[in-house]
Amino acid sequence: MTDLAGAAAGGPGRVARVVLVDDHRMFRTGVRAEIGRTETTGIDVVGEADDVESAVQVVAEQRPDVVLLDVHLPGGGGVEVLRRSAPLMGDSGGVKFLALSVSDAAEDVIGVIRGGARGYVTKTITGTDLVNAVFRIADGDAVFSPRLAGFVLDAFAATDTPPVDEDLDRLTQREREVLRLIARGYAYKEIAKQLFISVKTVESHVSAVLRKLQLSNRHELTRWATARRLV
């Protein structure tokens, strides 16, 4: 991210109240330090969360203008935060969500947009552009990193073809989380710790994923996930 001196995109005196949702504390700290200088950027970071439960709670308590939401979170992912926060998004003055993620997978982009997010940007975005994106989202615009908009246009324009992989649709949200972590090389104990579940539960999810996808082992699962850019 870059220096934001004089970059208050909302105009003189305007402030956007923002909640940061990401399971990496150092990333949240960096974003807060970069864009949360209210007198310069117009961004007031009013809360943070690192999993689904804490995100739902802080969003309900703070009712921010915009939530910067990571897609992959312990407890069900960004889609689950959107689902449980849906009552707060209803009117024109409701809470708006902007996905901010390292992932540029079409399935992730389409999933959160279907869930109610107004945009999706990757973590390569500059600080200046992120401030601008927050104010645009607060004003009701849709904002996407350049190549990601095409995923959404293709998905919602194609009425005769399914926009999401049919095999992937067989998996629950938690099974998808376990699938990604397995494909990234995490051990069962590491997955259990990250998702706040037991090792036995991880094993059960892996068995279910292999059965539903008709795969034999984690090596085949990794190849399957990599081919679909889910890793």
Side-chain angles (χ1 to χ4, degrees):
M1 293 187 182
T2 59
D3 182 64
L4 296 177
R14 184 179 177 193
V15 174
R17 300 174 68 254
V18 171
V19 163
L20 304 177
V21 179
D22 193 286
D23 62 340
H24 293 96
R25 182 179 59 82
M26 290 184 65
F27 179 77
R28 296 197 312 273
T29 300
V31 172
R32 178 187 280 270
E34 182 73 15
I35 74 170
R37 293 173 275 137
T38 310
E39 68 285 352
T40 301
T41 64
I43 303 293
D44 181 15
V45 178
V46 298
E48 298 183 17
D50 60 3
D51 60 17
V52 169
E53 289 298 329
S54 60
V56 171
Q57 181 177 352
V58 72
V59 170
E61 290 175 351
Q62 294 294 333
R63 304 289 180 99
D65 299 306
V66 177
V67 179
L68 292 178
L69 179 68
D70 193 12
V71 174
H72 302 139
L73 292 168
V79 171
E80 181 65 11
V81 176
L82 289 162
R83 185 186 70 79
R84 293 174 58 180
S85 301
L88 306 179
M89 295 188 275
D91 55 73
S92 59
V95 178
K96 298 178 178 65
F97 288 79
L98 171 62
L100 175 61
S101 177
V102 70
S103 170
D104 62 358
E107 184 263 335
D108 286 333
V109 178
I110 295 166
V112 295
I113 297 305
R114 280 177 163 176
R118 295 289 304 172
Y120 194 118
V121 294
T122 62
K123 290 181 178 179
T124 58
I125 192 171
T126 66
T128 300
D129 287 344
L130 184 56
V131 169
N132 290 333
V134 167
F135 279 103
R136 287 180 60 192
I137 291 292
D139 287 338
D141 290 344
V143 180
F144 295 91
S145 292
R147 66 182 295 270
L148 304 187
F151 294 154
V152 179
L153 291 173
D154 290 345
F156 289 93
T159 57
D160 57 342
T161 57
V164 180
D165 192 301
E166 290 183 1
D167 289 332
L168 198 61
D169 268 349
R170 298 191 183 101
L171 306 182
T172 66
Q173 182 63 35
R174 177 48 59 86
E175 288 168 352
R176 295 184 191 191
E177 292 178 337
V178 171
L179 163 66
R180 287 191 182 93
L181 293 174
I182 285 288
R184 291 171 184 167
Y186 283 69
Y188 285 5
K189 287 183 179 179
E190 294 172 322
I191 296 173
K193 183 177 180 180
Q194 177 139 342
L195 299 182
F196 303 100
I197 57 179
S198 69
V199 173
K200 186 174 181 180
T201 301
V202 173
E203 293 173 349
S204 296
H205 285 312
V206 172
S207 296
V209 170
L210 293 174
R211 183 180 69 255
K212 290 180 179 181
L213 300 181
Q214 298 182 350
L215 301 174
S216 301
N217 52 56
R218 66 181 297 161
H219 300 295
E220 290 184 2
L221 186 152
T222 298
R223 288 197 296 270
W224 187 93
T226 300
R228 287 161 174 78
R229 301 183 64 195
L230 301 178
V231 180

